[in-house]
Amino acid sequence: MSVLMRFIVLLILAVIAILLTVILGDYGPWYLSWLLGTGFMVLVAAMGGVLYEEQEDALDRPAEVKNRSSSGY
């Protein structure tokens, strides 16, 4: 994608964002916090899934791998 096409796409997105803020008026901050909160909760859930999988993998590893990795430094 050329630089000009990226610029045009971003310009269109900026115009849409400005129009949405004008249309929404006072409800804009509420929708913004809703979107940010939803995104944050999705990230926290994904992080929890990754941590769970890592703990499950750590339980399945042999004892010598655990001893070698916990040698101090």
Side-chain angles (χ1 to χ4, degrees):
M1 191 183 251
S2 70
V3 176
L4 180 62
M5 287 301 291
R6 287 184 193 172
F7 180 75
I8 291 172
V9 168
L10 291 175
L11 183 64
I12 291 170
L13 286 174
V15 168
I16 290 171
I18 291 170
L19 287 175
L20 280 175
T21 57
V22 169
I23 292 169
L24 293 175
D26 292 334
Y27 297 113
W30 186 87
Y31 285 117
L32 176 66
S33 64
W34 183 81
L35 287 172
L36 291 177
T38 303
F40 181 72
M41 290 308 295
V42 167
L43 289 175
V44 167
M47 182 181 62
V50 169
L51 289 174
Y52 177 76
E53 289 292 325
E54 183 60 32
Q55 289 175 351
E56 289 290 316
D57 290 343
L59 290 175
D60 294 340
R61 291 185 195 136
E64 66 267 2
V65 173
K66 289 181 184 177
N67 291 335
R68 190 174 49 200
S69 66
S70 64
S71 62
Y73 295 96

